[in-house]
Every structure is written in C-alpha cells, then in structure tokens.
Amino acid sequence: MKTSDFYFDLPQELIAQKPSGARGQDRLMLLGRSSGAIEHHVMADLPDLVRPGTLMVFNNSRVRRSRCYGIKKATGREQEFMFLNQIGTNGCVWNTMVKGAKKVKDGGVYVFPDGSEGTVVGQPQDAGTEFRAIQFPFRITEEWFERNGHIPLPPYIRRGDTDLDTERYQTVYATETGSAACPTAGLHFTEEMLQRLRDRGVELAWITLHVGLGTFLPVRAENIEEHTMHEEVYTVPYDVAEKINRAKREGRPVLAVGTTSVRTLESAAGDDGLVQGGTGSTHIFMYPGYRFKLVDQMFTNFHTPESTLIMLVSAFASREHILRAYSTAVQEKYRFFSYGDAMLIQ
C-alpha cells in the first residue's frame, strides 16, 4: 500500500491548539468496526456505550518535561532538544531529537537553564538523521527535567507551553514518568468518568508504554511496507495480564484506550490471544492486513494524515471506514489531534 492512500484534507482551523474548556467535555464519534456506521455523541455518553463486563485497558505513562533548550557555548545560539531515552545504564547519555539537526555537530557544548552543560557525541545507532546523542558529566534525573524542561507539545500546536498544559497534557491517572509525548486518548477521562465506568460494571486496568521515537518519525517511504518502526518499552503487570486473559476466556471484550495500549497489548499477546505479563519492547507496525490477536474495541483520537497511527486504526476498522469517518468529522467540524475530540470503535 502507498503512504498517500492514507491522506485526507484537513483544514488548519480544525487542529486543536488548546484543550477544551473542561476535561472530559469533548465530542465523541462512535464508529461501527464492521459496519462503518457513524453516530455522534459527547464524552458524557461513553459509559452508556460500553457494555458491562468490558475490560478497558489504559496507558498510565506520564509525560516527561522533555523539550529542553540549550545555548551553544561557542556561539550563543539557542538550540532545541527533545530528550527521548537514555543510552546505556549510567543515565549520562541521552538520545535527543534535534530541531535543525544538520547544524548540530559532534563536540558542540550546550548550556542549559540551570547552568549544566551537555556535549553532542554523535548520532545514535539505528536512529534517523534528526537525532543526536548528548552526554553530561552527571546522571540526568527527573528533577533535572523539572528544572530545565518544557511540556513537549507536538509541532502542530503552534504556541509555547503554559501552566495549563502542565495539567492538561497529562492524563489524570498518569503515574509512570517516561514518555516524550502524551498518550492523548486518555486526556478525555476524568476521575468522575472512571468511576461512572466502574459503576456501569466495566473493569479497568493499566499498562505502561513510554512514547518515544516512533511517534515523531514521519512515514517517508512511498510504500508503507518499507517503513521501520522504532522500539518502545512497555510493561504489562502480571495481575493485569491475568485480568486480560480472564476476560478473553470469558468472552468479554477488551477495549484498548489509545494506540499505545493497542501496541502494547498486541505485542504482549501470543498467537492464542493470551498475554504474558512482564516488560518487553515493541516495534510493531500495524496497517491494513494486520490481524488483531487480542484487542476487540478501541478508544482513540483523530490522527494526522499519512501517519502510522491512522494506518493502525485503518487496520482495525478498514481504511474505507476510517477515511469516511474522518471526512464526516471534517464536515461536522470535530477537533483533531492531541487536544481534539475522540472516537470509539466498536
């Protein structure tokens, strides 16, 4: 298949530049996975749309303040670094995505807001041209990111981060810090909504996948089969694996909240559709033709054209259904991407 097969025309004004007035007050499209039928709802309707007994699986990864700005010591020029993951085990060397990477040369020293200095030490192995490794004379901690970092809003949000983003670009259940971008489907959920789902008889569970390189890399290949996904680390707690396997044995649906939960569950599942608990890594790339082993339903946001994420949802509900749903969303002026509206695929 061609990357261009997943293009759709999106007016710029439909790209949400800020969160809605209150968390959980967004619109919700219901899409029939097999039928392609479309219904229009709001998030408050969600508990009534989810069948009692369903197991909903959420990603509890917390966003790191990973966008950092350093001043090049030799020139005084400011440089943006997106810190993605540490290289090695000592915590001193980090893989970063660099804006204008061609100008960032090995040996360059950059001074960060708290006065600490990092030195560019090359391009990480198997990373694209946008990435550079940067080394510090000490271990980088979460406290360092709190002092020096910004909330890593995606590039289609054309403004700097504010105090509002500190709260709203995190899910209410985020506990495990490590993501370079938010698993944004979860942004729609409030504590009240989670309790309403429990009261409805819906079972809730949490896994962890730290969002990394794969989220940022565009599909540059003309043929999507030639695109390579980078690895991301995930954890499925053993008790959650037991919940998932019990739901599958009992014939209850598993509803994955967000594409990160989908990738985790499908990577952790064996051919029998059952899950092994523990930590692993995934570079799974799902596009039409992929056969889902575990996930029955999906809750997700509206994704960017020609991205791996729209390919994933097209694998789940068919390219034709997804593109028609997206066309309808544009006509109905749904809000798109991280701070936008949501879709439930059943």
Side-chain angles (χ1 to χ4, degrees):
M1 300 187 76
K2 304 293 186 184
T3 299
S4 58
D5 291 337
F6 298 89
Y7 176 80
F8 65 94
D9 189 31
L10 179 66
Q12 286 291 310
E13 62 267 22
L14 296 185
I15 301 175
Q17 295 297 305
K18 59 183 181 179
S20 56
R23 191 189 294 267
Q25 292 187 356
D26 300 298
R27 297 169 73 186
L28 174 66
M29 177 183 287
L30 175 63
L31 175 65
R33 182 181 180 185
S34 299
S35 68
I38 294 170
E39 296 179 12
H40 302 288
H41 295 271
V42 294
M43 272 300 296
D45 299 335
L46 181 65
D48 296 327
L49 300 175
V50 179
R51 191 181 97 191
T54 297
L55 174 62
M56 293 184 71
V57 181
F58 300 78
N59 181 6
N60 63 8
S61 182
R62 185 173 180 82
V63 181
R64 174 179 286 130
R65 297 182 72 89
S66 55
R67 176 173 281 126
C68 302
Y69 296 88
I71 302 297
K72 190 172 183 179
K73 204 169 184 179
T75 65
R77 183 174 63 86
E78 184 179 75
Q79 178 63 53
E80 177 185 311
F81 296 90
M82 179 78 79
F83 283 69
L84 296 170
N85 56 278
Q86 70 177 48
I87 300 172
T89 58
N90 64 11
C92 299
V93 183
W94 279 73
N95 181 21
T96 66
M97 185 177 184
V98 180
K99 193 172 184 178
K102 289 182 179 179
K103 299 178 181 179
V104 178
K105 307 298 184 183
D106 291 4
V109 178
Y110 292 83
V111 182
F112 291 87
D114 68 351
S116 57
E117 296 183 1
T119 303
V120 176
V121 292
Q123 185 175 319
Q125 186 177 8
D126 298 327
T129 57
E130 303 95 335
F131 304 99
R132 296 289 184 272
I134 186 166
Q135 183 171 16
F136 294 82
F138 54 86
R139 183 179 185 86
I140 296 296
T141 64
E142 294 306 326
E143 289 75 17
W144 187 90
F145 287 110
E146 289 297 318
R147 293 195 305 272
N148 294 282
H150 293 259
I151 295 295
L153 296 177
Y156 47 73
I157 295 181
R158 296 174 178 170
R159 60 176 177 80
D161 61 307
T162 67
D163 289 343
L164 177 65
D165 299 303
T166 300
E167 176 203 356
R168 295 294 297 275
Y169 198 65
Q170 300 278 13
T171 63
V172 298
Y173 48 76
T175 56
E176 307 298 320
T177 302
S179 276
C182 183
T184 52
L187 293 178
H188 301 281
F189 291 84
T190 63
E191 293 291 356
E192 179 187 9
M193 172 62 71
L194 296 175
Q195 188 56 51
R196 285 185 61 202
L197 287 163
R198 293 186 184 99
D199 293 344
R200 169 78 167 164
V202 176
E203 188 176 15
L204 311 183
W206 280 265
I207 51 84
T208 304
L209 181 140
H210 293 314
V211 185
L213 295 176
T215 292
F216 295 100
L217 289 180
V219 180
R220 295 194 176 96
E222 181 180 357
N223 299 310
I224 64 174
E225 295 86 355
E226 298 170 6
H227 178 72
T228 301
M229 291 285 284
H230 284 74
E231 288 193 358
E232 294 169 309
V233 175
Y234 67 82
T235 300
V236 178
Y238 291 100
D239 63 323
V240 172
E242 291 176 5
K243 287 183 179 182
I244 295 167
N245 294 338
R246 184 167 59 249
K248 297 304 288 187
R249 285 193 295 267
E250 294 173 357
R252 295 185 285 120
V254 173
L255 196 171
V257 177
T259 57
T260 57
S261 296
V262 174
R263 293 205 304 276
T264 299
L265 295 175
E266 290 295 310
S267 298
D271 291 336
D272 59 359
L274 299 180
V275 170
Q276 293 288 329
T279 296
S281 62
T282 176
H283 57 267
I284 192 169
F285 179 24
M286 287 174 269
Y287 52 86
Y290 176 83
R291 298 190 64 174
F292 285 81
K293 297 177 287 186
L294 192 153
V295 176
D296 303 300
Q297 301 175 12
M298 188 188 311
F299 180 96
T300 185
N301 279 12
F302 290 90
H303 304 294
T304 54
E306 301 183 335
S307 65
T308 59
L309 302 182
I310 193 172
M311 294 172 189
L312 185 155
V313 295
S314 294
F316 192 72
S318 88
R319 171 180 166 273
E320 293 72 24
H321 290 344
I322 290 296
L323 290 181
R324 189 166 65 84
Y326 275 48
S327 176
T328 300
V330 169
Q331 293 170 14
E332 297 293 327
K333 299 190 183 304
Y334 276 68
R335 300 166 76 240
F336 278 70
F337 308 160
S338 294
Y339 277 146
D341 296 314
M343 174 186 284
L344 174 62
I345 306 174
Q346 286 184 324

